Amino acid sequence: MSVALKCPVCCAETRVAFTKHGHDIHDCLACSHRFARAVGSGHLADVYGDDYFFGGGDGYDDYLAEADLLRAQGRRYGTLLAKHMTTGRILDVGSAAGFLQAGLEDAGWRTTGIEPNATMVAHAVQKLGLDASLGSLEDTQIDEAFDAVSLIQVVGHFFDLQKAMQSLTALTRPGGLCLVEYWRRDSLAARSLGRHWHEYSPPSVLHWYTRAGLDRVFADAQFDLVESGAPKKYIASSHAKSLLAYKLAGYPAGKVMAGVVRALPMPKHLRYPAFDLEWRLYRRRGGPS
């Protein structure tokens, strides 16, 4: 039986909008936040094990193969941040194997990463020489206020949204920046596809934000919007094929269509059409603008 939960943003009543992959998707009746419940106390280990980075499906077929693309993305975001403040200390949340973190360092930032997968942390530390540790924003023991925090494809994955945002406030100095890249639930692509939108993929993704909804979450955590835009994002064609094949598998004749997708000739890298993808830059209140 579907059970309505309290909204993690405003604590109001919710209703079950639909079910995806066996998980109820809830809508808040007051603030319209859309979310699903985490799978339990072992959520991080259950969802973000090595299979997430190497097993295909809703994750990656080979995360390490995207090293150059992710490092270039880190450089672009590091340059963007540097337009708004002098480069300093930045915390990269969900830092995975450290590729985006390394790109931030290329752009002049001094970085620390936190990541819930031990294999990924080991790669960042041992192969790239980065400062990274095992953990999540919800349970981090880091006791430092950073000049900036990057949340690239992270805000949809929080298993405890309120705790994550409290940690974010504590970890960002007054006047510091927070860069968010997320999938827009109010984009034309998401609204057109409805429940078939690719980002409805619990238990990996647990929160889906509109622009106004994301701004509210950050305003409640003492952050104000500075700027926003569409990211220049590239993915490996093998990753794109793996995701498409996984999504098609649930449809009639899906296995046949998935086979066709895997056989399609494609360039090594693909530019993602950012119809439903956006970055938003926030500044923590209390410091110089």
Side-chain angles (χ1 to χ4, degrees):
M1 179 179 178
S2 297
V3 177
L5 305 174
K6 295 292 186 180
C7 174
V9 175
C10 70
C11 297
E13 297 293 329
T14 68
R15 66 175 180 85
V16 175
F18 57 91
T19 300
K20 194 70 178 286
H21 303 321
H23 296 265
D24 290 337
I25 310 295
H26 301 258
D27 281 346
C28 177
L29 298 177
C31 73
S32 300
H33 182 63
R34 178 165 284 179
F35 68 101
R37 178 161 50 186
V39 295
S41 59
H43 176 80
L44 294 178
D46 291 342
V47 177
Y48 303 112
D50 287 353
D51 192 57
Y52 178 79
F53 291 94
F54 301 105
D58 274 335
Y60 297 85
D61 60 328
D62 182 2
Y63 184 82
L64 300 184
E66 304 203 17
D68 292 343
L69 297 178
L70 291 165
R71 189 161 187 157
Q73 184 185 24
R75 287 194 292 269
R76 287 192 292 271
Y77 277 140
T79 301
L80 170 66
L81 286 162
K83 293 178 180 177
H84 294 272
M85 67 161 44
T86 302
T87 54
R89 294 277 293 133
I90 186 169
L91 176 66
D92 185 29
V93 180
S95 52
F99 302 137
L100 194 143
Q101 185 183 347
L104 291 168
E105 294 223 339
D106 292 342
W109 294 87
R110 302 186 307 280
T111 69
T112 293
I114 51 172
E115 162 60 40
N117 180 284
T119 300
M120 295 291 106
V121 171
H123 188 281
V125 174
Q126 297 169 13
K127 301 295 185 181
L128 300 179
L130 296 169
D131 175 18
S133 60
L134 195 64
S136 67
L137 192 57
E138 290 93 330
D139 62 16
T140 183
Q141 299 301 306
I142 296 173
D143 184 18
E144 179 180 351
F146 291 84
D147 299 301
V149 176
S150 61
L151 301 174
I152 309 304
Q153 292 303 317
V154 169
V155 292
H157 299 273
F158 290 143
F159 64 88
D160 186 329
L161 180 57
Q162 289 291 348
K163 192 173 182 181
M165 297 307 293
Q166 289 167 6
S167 292
L168 176 64
T169 304
L171 288 164
T172 311
R173 69 165 175 79
L177 298 173
C178 180
L179 177 65
V180 181
E181 183 186 280
Y182 76 110
W183 301 94
R184 279 185 53 211
R185 178 166 70 88
D186 55 338
S187 66
L188 178 59
R191 289 185 284 111
S192 299
L193 292 169
R195 67 182 65 190
H196 301 297
W197 184 40
H198 64 92
E199 273 305 288
Y200 290 131
S201 54
S204 171
V205 182
L206 297 172
H207 302 275
W208 300 274
Y209 304 88
T210 63
R211 280 174 171 164
L214 188 69
D215 288 351
R216 171 178 176 153
V217 169
F218 275 81
D220 289 347
Q222 303 179 35
F223 288 83
D224 296 315
L225 181 66
V226 175
E227 189 182 358
S228 65
K232 187 177 182 181
K233 183 181 180 69
Y234 292 87
I235 63 173
S237 59
S238 59
H239 182 194
K241 287 183 177 183
S242 176
L243 285 172
L244 282 170
Y246 175 75
K247 298 295 184 183
L248 289 169
Y251 292 92
K255 289 185 178 180
V256 174
M257 291 187 291
V260 171
V261 166
R262 290 187 183 279
L264 287 174
M266 290 185 182
K268 185 178 179 181
H269 301 147
L270 300 173
R271 173 79 181 267
Y272 182 83
F275 300 133
D276 53 1
L277 190 63
E278 185 178 57
W279 58 262
R280 290 177 91 72
L281 182 64
Y282 298 91
R283 190 182 299 277
R284 189 179 179 304
R285 295 175 201 146
S289 58

